[in-house]
DNA sequence: TCATAGCCTTTTTTT
DNA sequence: AAGGCTATGA
């Protein structure tokens, strides 16, 4: 143990060996945060703390696994007894044990976003509301936001602010939808992601014996990525550490990128007032990146108003400048990045695994996949449409879910007519009515269908019921997850249906199901896995994080492709941050509010600071989006990097063989020179420079952060749009912070424009 | 009553 | 580009 401590610098050592009481570690990018957290846990155990008494909450399950592994190397196999995992997985476990006090059974289902959305959609339909006004996505976000802020449906219905906002957004029924949604989840013995945290809060609030149990169990509570916790999560940790007060949080306000999920920078500030005895340690030395990268990242993040006082520095070598590459299209962007990786590999003798391509949206991965494949460069994609989101996988999982928890309404809807057994919407609706009339669950109707419904459809339903009862018998016999799952796959007809589909896609789907069965087998055969029940497997699957997905084969030498969100906590020698275009990064949706722009900037900061040796930024002039070719402008963030640390690359010039490419070359040249002069005009950023308001969005009204339309825009005016020409403004509409204008254009007819006031000019 | 073709809308990040 | 919804035909 002692030897390990020798490797640490003074603030790191201070953090690791802080004896007891509340501790906050403000850890700048690349300052050895994970190492400190790991050593601190090892140190605690070395000091005689029982691993059973330590709870560590991490951001991904993979991070937890790796940390556990490293601790094991330091102090031995005792480390297995640590409680470690994501908030969601740890508290799902606790709810399985104690959730019955809230009326849930321990086999409760976990609804994913699709399930939630589908339930919301059916409630909207049942209420005979217009789903164009009540957009399921919006409603779900609203409910999720309430739950993450610990607002119950009861409280929501009484809150004048929410009611006011909903009325203004023309959605006065959201409170009623929220209530029904919660009741339906409860009846289905299901919790969504937010419920796992919300219900833990309720459990700890209403059942002090339970709270007491865990308060005494966990003498030490540690929270990683604290800047990304929301109120609901914060409240749980605060309660848990209420007795011993031994809470350690590690975070960096500059890397807070989950406000859209309810994360609250304010938590860091609240923390100080909640724990007057708080000890604060700042880790400011960056061991990861070159001086250039650290300085460039600092020059960007300094534009944010909202941040703690901190000075990240490094003693590493200066390193290469940040390169900016311009591409004609998204396809060329892919080619340039791929060939750049190819060249760097052969020139410097580095490996695929030394490169990461980071983008803002998952959809951007395509062009890079194609060009990497062409050059025979192996890659892995993290996130995106993951394995577990594929239809055939979700279908089988729905069968398994329904077998474990026959109250699961969403799983039922998914499988009742799959494979096709002639049970349509009408029949399902009739079952639902029957269930409601007799005040029993849907499963109770299905399992005794002849008692409730007679007729042709009843036979088909009875067959379905017999099938499920057979699956349930397997569970009762104590078969493990693999035995049940392979039986279900064979007997349900899913596998047979896919087998008969001889198309390429059908074959792939068949293999996917086989692969799922393989992974269940692995789960069951894992010696570390104590609980090999189907229920345990389902829980693990539904709480997997994107970073948790394993490499398919043992080949680790791959270029990594992922969103910047997915790159949190990771590092790579060479990082490409691609798609540096206005409205893509920063995202169009985020530009409405000042606070959100700051979050996008933090995201850019995270992207830059992933790199050890070099950053390459790229942008395209044209990009396919929603099946359309769009013209793009370079991102404002490019202007925010101190030009001292940047270099424009001449790459992207395809050799001019004809007039057309000569033309585009000229355009590119002039582009480069205006770009260069714009960069040169920027004076280096001083430490307390005031943020420059973005020029091309409407001015925010003071600091309220609300978007306001120019006041001179009125219905009936003639307006001009850069793309669509002139027209007549028919209607102005504001909904939930989203502003719309309906314009009848002379040339192209009526169009609804989103947030495009800046591009609308009044001409009469 | 059900299945399918074509129309229409969406429009970020993740547990 | 993809998924949901509606109209149409079986």
């Amino acid at each position: 143990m002692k030897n390990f401590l020798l490797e640490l610098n003074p603030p790191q050592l201070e953090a690791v060996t802080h004896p007891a009481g509340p501790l906050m570690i403000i850890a700048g990018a690349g300052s050895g945060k994970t190492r400190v957290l790991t050593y601190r846990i090892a140190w605690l155990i070395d000091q005689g703390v029982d691993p059973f008494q330590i709870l560590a909450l991490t951001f991904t399950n993979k991070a937890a696994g790796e940390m556990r592994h490293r601790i094991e190397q330091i102090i031995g196999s005792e480390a297995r007894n640590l409680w470690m995992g994501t908030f969601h997985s740890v508290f799902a476990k606790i709810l399985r044990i104690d959730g019955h006090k809230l009326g849930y059974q321990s086999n409760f289902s976990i609804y994913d976003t699709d399930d939630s959305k589908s339930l919301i959609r059916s409630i909207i339909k049942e209420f005979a509301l217009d789903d164009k006004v009540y957009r399921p996505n919006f409603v779900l976000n609203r409910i999720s936001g309430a739950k993450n802020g610990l607002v119950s449906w009861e409280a929501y219905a009484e809150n004048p602010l929410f009611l006011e906002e909903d009325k203004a957004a023309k959605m006065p029924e959201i409170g009623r939808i929220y209530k029904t949604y919660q009741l339906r989840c409860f009846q289905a013995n299901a919790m969504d992601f937010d419920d796992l945290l919300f219900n833990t809060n309720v459990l700890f609030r209403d059942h002090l014996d339970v709270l007491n149990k865990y308060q005494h169990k966990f003498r030490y509570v540690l929270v990683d990525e604290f800047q990304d916790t929301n109120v609901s999560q914060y409240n749980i940790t605060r309660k848990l550490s209420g007795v011993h007060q031994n809470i350690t949080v590690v975070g960096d306000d500059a890397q807070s990128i989950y406000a859209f999920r309810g994360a609250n920078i304010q938590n860091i500030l609240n923390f100080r007032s909640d724990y007057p005895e708080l000890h604060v340690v700042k880790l400011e030395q960056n061991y990861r990146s070159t001086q250039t990268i650290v300085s460039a990242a600092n020059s960007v993040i300094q534009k944010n108003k909202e941040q703690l006082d901190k000075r990240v520095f490094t003693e590493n070598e200066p390193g290469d400048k940040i390169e900016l590459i311009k591409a004609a299209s998204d396809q060329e962007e892919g080619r340039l990045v791929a060939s750049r990786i190819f060249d760097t590999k052969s020139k410097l003798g580095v490996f695929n695994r030394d490169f990461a391509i980071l983008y803002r949206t998952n959809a951007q991965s395509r062009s890079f996949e194609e060009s990497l494949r062409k050059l025979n460069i192996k890659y892995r994609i993290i996130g995106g449409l993951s394995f577990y989101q594929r239809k055939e996988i979700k279908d089988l999982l729905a069968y398994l879910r329904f077998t474990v928890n026959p109250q699961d309404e969403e799983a039922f809807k998914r499988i009742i007519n799959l494979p096709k057994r002639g049970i349509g919407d009408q029949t399902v609706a009739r079952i639902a009515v029957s269930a409601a009339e007799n005040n029993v669950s849907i499963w109770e109707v299905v399992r005794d269908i002849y008692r409730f419904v007679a007729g042709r459809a009843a036979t088909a339903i009875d067959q379905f019921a017999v099938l499920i009862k057979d699956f349930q018998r397997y569970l009762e016999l104590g078969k493990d997850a693999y035995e049940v799952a392979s039986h279900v796959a064979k007997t349900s007809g899913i596998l047979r249906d896919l087998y008969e589909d001889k198309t390429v896609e059908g074959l792939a789907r068949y293999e996917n199901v086989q692969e799922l069965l393989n992974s269940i087998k692995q789960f069951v055969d894992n010696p570390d896995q104590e609980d090999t029940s189907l229920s345990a497997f389902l829980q693990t699957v539904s709480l997997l994080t994107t970073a948790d997905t394993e490499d398919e084969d043992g080949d680790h030498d791959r270029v990594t492709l992922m969103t910047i969100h997915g790159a949190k906590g990771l590092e790579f020698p060479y990082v490409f941050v691609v798609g540096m275009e206005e409205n893509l990064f920063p995202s169009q949706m985020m530009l409405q509010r000042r606070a959100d722009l700051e979050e996008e900037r933090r995201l850019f900061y995270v992207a830059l600071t992933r790199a050890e040796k070099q950053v390459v930024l790229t942008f395209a002039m044209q990009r396919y989006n929603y099946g359309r070719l769009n013209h793009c402008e370079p991102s404002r963030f490019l202007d925010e990097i101190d030009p001292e640390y940047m270099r424009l690359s001449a790459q992207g010039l395809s050799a001019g063989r004809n007039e057309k490419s000569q033309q585009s070359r000229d355009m590119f040249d002039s582009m480069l020179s205006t770009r260069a002069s714009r960069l040169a005009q920027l004076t280096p950023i001083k430490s307390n420079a005031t943020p420059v308001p973005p020029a091309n969005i409407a001015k925010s009204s003071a600091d309220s952060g609300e978007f306001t339309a120019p006041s001179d825009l009125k219905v009936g005016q003639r307006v001009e749009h850069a793309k669509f020409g002139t027209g007549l403004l028919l209607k102005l509409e504001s909904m939930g912070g989203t502003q719309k204008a309906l314009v009848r254009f002379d040339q192209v007819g009526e169009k609804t424009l989103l947030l495009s006031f800046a591009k609308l000019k009044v001409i009469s």
Side-chain angles (χ1 to χ4, degrees):
Chain A
M1 188 67 215
K2 288 254 162 55
N3 292 337
F4 283 103
L5 297 184
L6 288 178
E7 296 171 16
L8 302 171
N9 72 17
Q12 285 176 333
L13 189 66
E14 186 187 348
V16 166
T17 59
H18 176 70
L23 169 69
M24 178 157 70
I25 305 169
I26 305 284
S31 60
K33 176 191 68 146
T34 310
R35 182 190 237 194
V36 165
L37 204 51
T38 310
Y39 286 2
R40 174 151 178 79
I41 294 171
W43 182 82
L44 285 171
I45 298 172
D46 194 54
Q47 297 289 301
V49 179
D50 188 334
F52 272 114
Q53 297 181 308
I54 299 177
L55 170 66
L57 297 162
T58 57
F59 205 70
T60 64
N61 294 306
K62 198 177 178 189
E66 281 166 8
M67 209 181 286
R68 189 192 304 271
H69 189 69
R70 282 164 74 173
I71 296 168
E72 220 174 300
Q73 288 175 335
I74 303 173
I75 58 125
S77 61
E78 277 189 280
R80 288 188 188 192
N81 298 329
L82 285 163
W83 274 62
M84 238 189 213
T86 63
F87 271 93
H88 288 87
S89 63
V90 166
F91 295 110
K93 201 187 276 178
I94 286 180
L95 285 168
R96 299 253 175 229
I97 300 169
D98 292 299
H100 61 93
K101 302 219 168 185
L102 302 177
Y104 288 90
Q105 298 157 36
S106 70
N107 60 348
F108 64 82
S109 296
I110 297 172
Y111 276 1
D112 67 12
T113 311
D114 284 344
D115 297 319
S116 300
K117 224 180 277 175
S118 149
L119 178 52
I120 298 260
R121 191 170 281 129
S122 34
I123 294 172
I124 289 172
K125 219 174 255 173
E126 284 161 31
F127 284 3
L129 297 169
D130 183 356
D131 65 356
K132 301 228 164 60
V133 179
Y134 287 84
R135 300 216 316 284
N137 246 329
F138 184 94
V139 176
L140 181 59
N141 273 335
R142 188 89 179 144
I143 292 174
S144 172
K147 283 197 272 196
N148 285 328
L150 293 180
V151 180
S152 65
W153 62 262
E154 293 98 329
Y156 192 98
E158 285 169 8
N159 187 313
L161 182 71
F162 290 134
L163 299 181
E164 195 70 22
E165 280 175 359
D166 288 347
K167 203 179 274 175
K170 301 202 172 114
M171 289 186 269
E173 301 282 359
I174 288 188
R176 201 154 68 96
I177 299 174
Y178 182 10
K179 173 183 176 181
T180 312
Y181 175 78
Q182 286 311 119
L183 294 181
R184 288 278 276 279
C185 283
F186 184 73
Q187 280 166 9
N189 192 28
M191 300 192 202
D192 68 15
F193 292 131
D194 305 319
D195 288 336
L196 293 173
L197 305 173
F198 186 91
N199 286 333
T200 303
N201 272 290
V202 176
L203 185 68
F204 287 170
R205 184 196 62 196
D206 296 345
H207 299 274
L208 293 180
D209 53 326
V210 179
L211 174 62
N212 227 269
K213 179 170 87 180
Y214 291 109
Q215 275 178 334
H216 283 95
K217 173 173 171 50
F218 297 127
R219 264 180 66 200
Y220 286 84
V221 177
L222 301 97
V223 184
D224 195 7
E225 307 285 6
F226 182 63
Q227 76 280 357
D228 286 322
T229 54
N230 58 36
V231 169
S232 181
Q233 292 168 319
Y234 176 60
N235 210 41
I236 291 173
T237 54
R238 199 169 55 91
K239 285 207 164 163
L240 272 183
S241 56
V243 169
H244 295 294
Q245 300 273 309
N246 294 326
I247 181 165
T248 300
V249 299
V250 191
D252 178 9
D253 57 302
Q255 296 184 65
S256 163
I257 53 176
Y258 277 94
F260 72 91
R261 206 166 81 182
N264 199 341
I265 294 200
Q266 217 50 37
N267 276 348
I268 292 188
L269 305 173
N270 290 343
F271 202 72
R272 290 169 187 268
S273 53
D274 280 349
Y275 297 93
E277 311 277 279
L278 180 65
H279 187 73
V280 180
V281 177
K282 284 185 192 175
L283 307 180
E284 296 174 307
Q285 180 166 3
N286 178 309
Y287 294 96
R288 178 187 299 156
S289 315
T290 63
Q291 269 180 37
T292 302
I293 293 166
V294 170
S295 308
N298 279 345
S299 72
V300 169
I301 201 66
Q302 271 170 2
K303 302 223 168 209
N304 275 1
K305 261 186 185 167
E306 217 182 319
Q307 57 180 321
L308 298 177
D309 179 41
K310 170 164 33 70
R311 192 179 69 96
V312 177
F313 68 98
T314 186
E315 286 171 2
N316 293 347
E317 56 182 28
D320 285 330
K321 290 201 170 182
I322 291 177
E323 245 182 85
L324 177 61
I325 296 181
K326 174 186 178 169
S329 64
D330 47 349
Q331 285 171 20
E332 196 190 27
E333 186 185 39
R335 281 196 295 274
L336 290 172
V337 169
S339 64
R340 180 59 185 267
I341 290 175
F342 191 91
D343 292 347
T344 311
K345 269 173 64 182
S346 58
K347 216 178 285 170
L348 303 178
V350 292
F351 301 94
N352 288 336
R353 61 169 178 272
D354 294 330
F355 298 89
I357 301 175
L358 307 182
Y359 35 74
R360 181 66 236 273
T361 68
N362 284 305
Q364 285 166 256
S365 68
R366 256 198 144 84
S367 57
F368 301 99
E369 290 178 65
E370 275 172 28
S371 26
L372 287 171
R373 260 203 305 269
K374 269 187 196 146
L375 293 187
N376 256 325
I377 300 173
K378 287 199 170 177
Y379 62 88
R380 60 174 179 152
I381 298 187
I382 298 189
L385 226 196
S386 82
F387 183 73
Y388 291 100
Q389 286 172 309
R390 292 182 191 164
K391 185 187 173 302
E392 63 276 16
I393 300 302
K394 293 195 75 165
D395 288 342
L396 180 53
L397 288 175
Y399 262 102
L400 301 179
R401 259 167 59 182
F402 193 71
T403 302
V404 169
N405 170 23
Q407 278 158 264
D408 189 327
E409 191 185 332
E410 293 306 313
F412 173 76
K413 281 197 279 190
R414 212 178 164 99
I415 61 175
I416 180 64
N417 198 27
L418 194 135
K420 305 257 154 61
R421 37 172 90 81
I423 303 174
D425 293 345
Q426 301 287 333
T427 315
V428 173
R430 216 183 302 154
I431 294 172
V433 170
S434 245
E437 275 173 358
N438 294 287
N439 201 21
V440 294
S441 74
I442 286 179
W443 170 239
E444 277 169 274
V445 175
V446 169
R447 127 181 122 178
D448 273 323
I449 191 69
Y450 295 117
R451 243 178 64 203
F452 297 92
V453 184
R456 207 153 34 94
T459 323
I461 292 173
D462 190 53
Q463 278 171 6
F464 173 76
V466 168
L467 201 61
I468 299 295
K469 281 179 205 164
D470 173 49
F471 299 160
Q472 286 173 342
R473 202 173 48 86
Y474 261 63
L475 277 191
E476 283 155 21
L477 291 173
K479 306 260 187 198
D480 67 34
Y482 179 71
E483 290 169 309
V484 184
S486 52
H487 179 64
V488 169
K490 273 179 223 142
T491 328
S492 66
I494 289 192
L495 219 45
R496 175 172 38 80
D497 256 29
L498 292 175
Y499 186 74
E500 281 162 10
D501 183 353
K502 295 296 181 195
T503 61
V504 185
E505 299 87 31
L507 203 67
R509 279 197 285 265
Y510 181 81
E511 279 166 8
N512 283 338
V513 172
Q514 292 292 2
E515 203 178 316
L516 174 64
L517 291 175
N518 282 341
S519 75
I520 300 179
K521 184 97 179 95
Q522 273 176 29
F523 174 85
V524 169
D525 290 343
N526 182 353
D528 288 343
Q529 190 63 46
E530 289 162 31
D531 184 354
T532 59
S533 71
L534 182 57
S535 179
F537 174 77
L538 287 176
Q539 182 187 314
T540 310
V541 162
S542 48
L543 296 177
L544 281 180
T545 61
T546 49
D548 292 334
T549 42
E550 295 274 318
D551 295 341
E552 312 90 87
D553 42 45
D555 191 355
H556 290 279
D557 187 27
R558 293 165 182 273
V559 175
T560 303
L561 278 69
M562 62 182 150
T563 64
I564 304 170
H565 282 93
K568 189 162 82 154
L570 303 178
E571 57 189 15
F572 303 89
Y574 301 93
V575 171
F576 293 85
V577 187
V578 300
M580 292 299 305
E581 293 135 38
E582 194 69 6
N583 293 333
L584 181 60
F585 189 27
S587 152
Q588 192 171 23
M589 322 229 69
M590 290 295 232
L591 289 176
Q592 298 168 42
R593 301 173 62 205
R594 161 69 70 76
D596 290 342
L597 181 63
E598 296 212 344
E599 174 151 319
E600 292 281 289
R601 193 175 280 122
R602 290 193 292 270
L603 198 53
F604 187 40
Y605 177 79
V606 169
L608 294 172
T609 52
R610 292 315 92 195
E612 293 165 1
K613 296 201 169 103
Q614 202 189 8
V615 174
V616 178
L617 306 172
T618 69
F619 69 96
M621 293 198 307
Q622 290 188 312
R623 177 178 298 278
Y624 268 102
N625 228 347
Y626 301 108
R628 288 188 172 283
L629 191 62
N630 291 94
H631 175 78
C632 312
E633 272 181 53
S635 165
R636 71 183 69 191
F637 288 156
L638 296 174
D639 288 333
E640 294 184 353
I641 300 176
D642 189 328
E644 189 187 328
Y645 308 114
M646 273 185 83
R647 172 172 83 212
L648 294 162
S649 167
Q651 274 194 53
L653 272 170
S654 32
R657 263 181 250 111
N658 54 38
E659 204 179 317
K660 207 171 172 195
S661 68
Q662 180 60 45
Q663 223 174 25
S664 73
R665 211 164 75 167
D666 289 346
M667 268 173 61
F668 179 70
D669 284 344
S670 77
M671 172 74 206
L672 276 189
S673 62
T674 50
R675 196 88 213 147
S677 66
R678 265 170 81 190
L679 288 173
Q681 272 168 22
L682 267 176
T683 45
I685 292 112
K686 297 184 185 72
S687 58
N688 53 356
T690 42
V692 188
N696 59 346
I697 62 167
K699 273 233 167 62
S700 335
S701 56
D703 271 323
S704 76
E706 289 299 322
F707 178 90
T708 49
S711 51
D712 54 339
L713 205 56
K714 290 196 186 75
V715 171
Q717 279 172 329
R718 304 259 322 145
V719 292
E720 189 179 357
H721 186 274
K723 229 188 248 167
F724 305 124
T726 56
L728 181 69
L729 182 57
L730 296 178
K731 210 163 131 193
L732 275 172
E733 216 174 42
S734 151
M735 203 190 78
T738 312
Q739 307 243 7
K740 288 187 198 170
L742 179 66
V743 183
R744 188 196 302 134
F745 288 105
D746 304 329
Q747 303 297 319
V748 289
E750 284 185 13
K751 282 210 181 297
T752 304
L753 302 174
L754 279 174
L755 301 168
S756 300
F757 297 127
K759 284 180 199 149
L760 275 186
K761 216 164 65 189
V762 181
I763 53 175
S764 74

